[in-house]
């Protein structure tokens, strides 16, 4: 695996909400139907539970998010990706599935603060007020495909690394002091 490359060197912006590029995080896209034999055991072997639709389950440094009826995003420590892939291959050896390391293809941002929701309200067509803790949404931020979820005092957002600079600029601009929605 290549050395992690942070496009913004872990960029940060402090406005009415705090925005930070975080990582590197280990990320695996797992394609498998929910009824695949052994899927729950494969997640358990990684210390995770199978998430319900539109949910993310967070367990310390690891997480499992439901992305679509046959797709999951697994988050593990960056150095643990190869072990996690090997575990999935063993657990699902006789089942139709695809597990791919997408760690270096994704960028992750954290938006925190009392008004963190306003940053996303400005750029995404999602009803942010209706989002529950641990709810995962695949949507857009401006014209960028994203996935984001609410946890604690903020949101975590994942996008393609190729647009990380644009995303950091977009999030920073949306969090400018004086531009609060109310």
């Amino acid at each position: 695996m290549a050395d992690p490359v942070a496009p913004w060197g872990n960029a940060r912006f402090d406005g009415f909400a705090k925005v930070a590029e975080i990582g590197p995080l280990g990320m695996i896209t797992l394609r498998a139907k929910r009824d695949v034999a052994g899927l729950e055991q494969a997640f358990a072997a990684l210390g995770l539970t199978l998430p319900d639709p539109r949910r993310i389950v967070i367990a310390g440094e690891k997480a499992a998010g439901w992305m679509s009826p046959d797709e999951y995003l697994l988050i593990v420590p960056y150095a643990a990706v190869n072990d996690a892939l090997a575990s999935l291959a063993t657990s699902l050896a006789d089942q139709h599935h695809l597990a791919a390391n997408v760690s270096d293809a994704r960028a992750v941002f954290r938006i925190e603060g009392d008004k963190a929701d306003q940053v996303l309200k400005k750029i995404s067509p999602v009803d942010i007020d209706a989002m529950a803790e641990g709810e995962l949404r695949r949507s857009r931020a401006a014209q960028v495909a994203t996935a984001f979820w609410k946890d604690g005092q903020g949101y975590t957002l994942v996008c393609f690394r190729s647009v990380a600079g644009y995303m950091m600029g977009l999030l920073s601009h949306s969090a400018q002091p004086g531009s609060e929605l109310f």
Side-chain angles (χ1 to χ4, degrees), residues 23 28 47 52 64 75 93 117 125 158:
I28 296 169
D52 289 329
I75 299 173
D117 61 331
V158 177

Side-chain angles (χ1 to χ4, degrees), residues 2-182:
D3 287 338
V5 177
W8 282 74
N10 293 318
R12 298 192 180 292
F13 178 80
D14 288 337
F16 69 78
K18 294 181 183 202
V19 176
E21 189 261 335
I22 61 172
L25 296 178
M27 288 181 263
I28 296 169
T29 291
L30 175 63
R31 301 299 301 249
K33 291 190 177 180
R34 194 170 186 86
D35 61 357
V36 163
L39 188 60
E40 287 188 46
Q41 293 83 357
F43 276 68
L46 297 175
L48 295 165
T49 57
L50 187 63
D52 289 329
R54 287 184 47 185
R55 302 295 297 173
I56 188 162
V57 178
I58 301 170
E61 292 184 288
K62 299 178 181 180
W66 181 93
M67 300 295 278
S68 73
D70 69 344
E71 181 181 359
Y72 303 91
L73 175 65
L74 305 178
I75 299 173
V76 298
Y78 190 86
V81 171
N82 289 337
D83 290 341
L85 286 169
S87 177
L88 290 168
T90 299
S91 297
L92 300 172
D94 297 328
Q95 302 299 321
H96 182 70
H97 75 284
L98 170 73
N101 178 357
V102 295
S103 306
D104 294 335
R106 303 289 187 265
V108 185
F109 296 88
R110 184 75 185 146
I111 307 145
E112 294 183 324
D114 293 341
K115 298 179 182 179
D117 61 331
Q118 291 187 28
V119 175
L120 291 175
K121 285 178 181 180
K122 291 179 181 184
I123 60 176
S124 182
V126 173
D127 183 357
I128 302 297
D129 290 334
M131 280 187 75
E133 182 87 8
E135 181 178 350
L136 185 146
R137 293 298 303 265
R138 287 183 83 172
S139 187
R140 298 212 169 267
Q143 293 301 311
V144 176
T146 63
F148 54 86
W149 56 91
K150 180 179 181 178
D151 61 79
Q153 279 289 310
Y155 297 83
T156 302
L157 180 143
V158 177
C159 68
F160 290 108
R161 186 171 297 278
S162 60
V163 293
Y166 172 75
M167 182 57 64
M168 184 64 196
L170 179 65
L171 294 170
S172 298
H173 184 76
S174 296
Q176 287 290 327
S179 71
E180 296 87 345
L181 296 175
F182 45 86

